[in-house]
Amino acid sequence: MAAGAVMPVPEGIGAKVKKALAWSLLNNLLIRLGNFAIGIMIARIVAPEEFGAFAVAITVQAILIALAEMGLSSDLVRNGRIRERAGTATIVALAVSGLLTMCMILTAGPVSASMGAVEARPVLQVMSMTLLISGLSVVPYARLQRDFRQRAMLAIDGISLVVGLLVTVGFVWLGLGAMALALSRVIAQAVVCVMQYGLTRMRPTLAFEPAVARAMLGFGTPIALANVLSWLVMNAGHLVVGRLSGALMLGFYVLAFNISSWPMSALGQAIRAVALPGFSHLGKGHDRSRVLANAVALTWAVSLLIGVLLAVLATGVVSVVYGDRWMAASTALAGLALFGALRIVFDVFATYLIAEGATRSVLVLQVLWLVALLPALAVGVSRHGLAGAGWAQTVVSLIVLLPAYLVALRRAGVLWEPMLSGLTVPLLGAVPAALVGWYVYGVLPEPIVALPAAGFGATATYLLVLGLWLRRKFGALDRRRSGPVPEPAQAQGGARQETATVVLTEPMQTVRERA
């Protein structure tokens, strides 16, 4: 091949990605619905004070698990040669997760006391075992992701959900209270670990190679730190609103933020499950700019529609779903909804940078995001209340983070022109869609009727304007018929973390403990 020539996308990758994405979306939808239903059931059988102790354990675990995996599975997905590097990855993962497990056990008492829930100490100590199991699961999880086996992940997550429910109900019946929830998490995650090894036909191996370990830690440490910062970024609004406006306004803000996270929960997490292996299968000579531009265009087109619907119909969504007493949350939701749409795009950007080995760029972007967001939130809340909190998130994302990501991508060799086209064209459909949704909702008197009617009208308008463009973009994902996905002969460079969940919008869940 001549110097400077662009290689075609590997055969079968487009089809594999689309199939894996479909299974990932189905998995995410079913598991979310299952967790929602189980949450309602748990709320009816567990006392509030007992669930509060469990919530303390979950909060601590969420922070530590972001550090425990250290980006090792992402490094394996990106570089390939998983069986060759499995022994070193397992030793490093167990060393890090084991250290964090001991820290969580030894500090459970002081941490629980500092959070006003002394009774959470034994729950925290039991929950710490999930960190150790997550370390053992790194290698088989990476194998499943690398091979696009989202159908197998659906089976694993479904079984873990059922196991977690049965164990919880059984232990609650035995009178264990909050401990029942912690034990169910540990048992369900152990089941996940065993199933991952079984479905990949692997077994734990231990074989330490110092050079491989150094490369993995060099790649994964920025990702682990970025995950912690990501958790801070996602909770920055909670902290500022709670401090400046009090507990009542914080409750409204948290509800609005949770609603704005619907696109990320439904779409973003499904995309990130296939984005990293998809980008990783592209060699250095492939037209990565075009592949990334198509992925971003489709992601943005879908997430923007959802964000516009939530923003324009914020009052209707809050009123119909949660009731009029929560209506104050709609003032924050308008801005947060657009932020929620941008989060998914940032997820794709971060995943691509990770695939390129630019994990330090991801960490720097996360630091920049937090530094810019805190003062913006303070000013927004002080001057405009909940509305200011919501729009501060969107303004910082557009003015600070989006340009910063584009600069980082340009440094990674990505051309801006196709990227900007994919980001701007969906806006042509978003404006008339927003106007139609706003008009229909205002005309019809009953919110329960006006909300779906406005949503349908806005969506139809959006698809009418962008239908042909969307068809071309979806067609661009289709490459030649399936062919084997080659395993790289050698590692393709540095280190890198999991999909996009890193610096972008929320800490990454590598081991997917959704029990």
Side-chain angles (χ1 to χ4, degrees):
M1 180 174 290
V6 176
M7 297 171 61
V9 176
E11 294 185 6
I13 289 296
K16 288 177 181 291
V17 168
K18 289 177 70 174
K19 184 177 180 181
L21 180 58
W23 280 107
S24 185
L25 286 169
L26 178 62
N27 183 7
N28 207 41
L29 176 62
L30 294 178
I31 297 302
R32 296 259 166 209
L33 290 175
N35 277 329
F36 179 72
I38 290 174
I40 295 175
M41 183 182 303
I42 296 302
R44 293 181 177 274
I45 63 176
V46 177
E49 59 273 12
E50 292 174 339
F51 189 81
F54 179 67
V56 170
I58 286 292
T59 301
V60 175
Q61 184 218 32
I63 300 173
L64 293 182
I65 205 164
L67 291 169
E69 196 266 346
M70 287 295 293
L72 296 174
S73 66
S74 298
D75 180 71
L76 292 171
V77 171
R78 174 180 178 266
N79 286 297
R81 300 195 307 164
I82 292 177
R83 291 190 181 275
E84 296 178 31
R85 299 155 62 88
T88 301
T90 301
I91 288 177
V92 174
L94 287 176
V96 175
S97 61
L99 178 62
L100 291 174
T101 298
M102 290 302 302
C103 290
M104 192 168 174
I105 291 174
L106 295 176
T107 62
V111 169
S112 300
S114 67
M115 299 182 74
V118 179
E119 66 278 9
R121 177 181 179 178
V123 180
L124 266 171
Q125 292 173 331
V126 170
M127 282 284 290
S128 67
M129 297 307 299
T130 61
L131 301 177
L132 196 60
I133 299 172
S134 72
L136 191 60
S137 301
V138 162
V139 172
Y141 175 81
R143 177 78 276 169
L144 291 169
Q145 294 295 93
R146 174 80 186 181
D147 293 343
F148 299 103
R149 296 186 62 183
Q150 297 305 317
R151 185 174 180 178
M153 291 303 303
L154 172 59
I156 292 172
D157 289 341
I159 292 174
S160 71
L161 193 70
V162 173
V163 169
L165 173 61
L166 295 177
V167 172
T168 299
V169 173
F171 284 147
V172 168
W173 181 76
L174 292 174
L176 296 183
M179 185 61 72
L181 298 170
L183 288 170
S184 71
R185 280 289 180 113
V186 174
I187 293 173
Q189 189 153 338
V191 170
V192 167
C193 182
V194 171
M195 290 187 65
Q196 286 174 341
Y197 275 104
L199 289 174
T200 55
R201 298 182 179 180
M202 301 179 73
R203 60 182 180 180
T205 58
L206 302 175
F208 188 73
E209 297 182 37
V212 174
R214 285 194 297 270
M216 286 181 167
L217 291 174
F219 168 82
T221 300
I223 293 300
L225 296 176
N227 272 329
V228 175
L229 288 174
S230 180
W231 186 89
L232 293 175
V233 167
M234 290 302 104
N235 287 275
H238 301 55
L239 298 174
V240 174
V241 171
R243 181 173 181 82
L244 297 181
S245 300
L248 178 61
M249 292 298 104
L250 176 59
F252 291 132
Y253 178 83
V254 170
L255 179 67
F257 190 89
N258 289 341
I259 296 174
S260 73
S261 299
W262 288 353
M264 188 66 215
S265 298
L267 180 64
Q269 294 183 11
I271 291 174
R272 78 165 55 129
V274 299
L276 179 58
F279 289 139
S280 298
H281 279 296
L282 299 175
K284 293 295 183 184
H286 298 299
D287 189 359
R288 290 188 165 200
S289 295
R290 180 172 56 83
V291 173
L292 177 61
N294 286 332
V296 169
L298 288 172
T299 300
W300 175 235
V302 178
S303 64
L304 178 61
L305 172 60
I306 301 175
V308 166
L309 290 175
L310 289 176
V312 173
L313 305 175
T315 57
V317 170
V318 174
S319 175
V320 172
V321 178
Y322 295 97
D324 291 340
R325 63 175 180 161
W326 292 97
M327 191 60 70
S330 63
T331 59
L333 179 56
L336 286 172
L338 298 178
F339 165 65
L342 288 166
R343 284 176 61 186
I344 304 177
V345 176
F346 296 156
D347 237 27
V348 177
F349 286 162
T351 302
Y352 181 85
L353 289 173
I354 289 169
E356 288 289 322
T359 55
R360 293 181 181 176
S361 295
V362 173
L363 175 58
V364 170
L365 287 166
Q366 197 72 1
V367 173
L368 177 64
W369 193 352
L370 184 62
V371 169
L373 183 59
L374 286 174
L377 283 168
V379 172
V381 173
S382 299
R383 295 186 178 182
H384 304 288
L386 289 178
W391 285 106
Q393 296 273 13
T394 298
V395 169
V396 168
S397 296
L398 287 173
I399 295 180
V400 177
L401 202 59
L402 179 59
Y405 263 116
L406 292 177
V407 170
L409 290 169
R410 187 67 188 90
R411 292 180 62 185
V414 175
L415 301 178
W416 281 355
E417 290 76 7
M419 184 75 60
L420 293 176
S421 172
L423 290 172
T424 54
V425 170
L427 296 174
L428 301 176
V431 173
L435 293 174
V436 169
W438 173 78
Y439 175 77
V440 172
Y441 185 78
V443 168
L444 298 177
E446 294 295 329
I448 197 169
V449 176
L451 183 63
F456 177 81
T459 302
T461 303
Y462 189 80
L463 294 178
L464 182 64
V465 175
L466 297 179
L468 183 60
W469 180 82
L470 287 171
R471 288 183 62 185
R472 287 202 302 266
K473 288 297 180 181
F474 273 108
L477 291 180
D478 283 322
R479 298 299 160 202
R480 293 170 227 165
R481 293 195 181 172
S482 64
V485 178
E487 191 74 15
Q490 60 184 19
Q492 297 176 3
R496 171 199 192 235
Q497 165 64 1
E498 179 152 30
T499 19
T501 189
V502 172
V503 153
L504 39 191
T505 69
E506 61 187 42
M508 177 168 84
Q509 277 185 303
T510 319
V511 182
R512 295 175 65 129
E513 39 168 318
R514 299 180 179 171

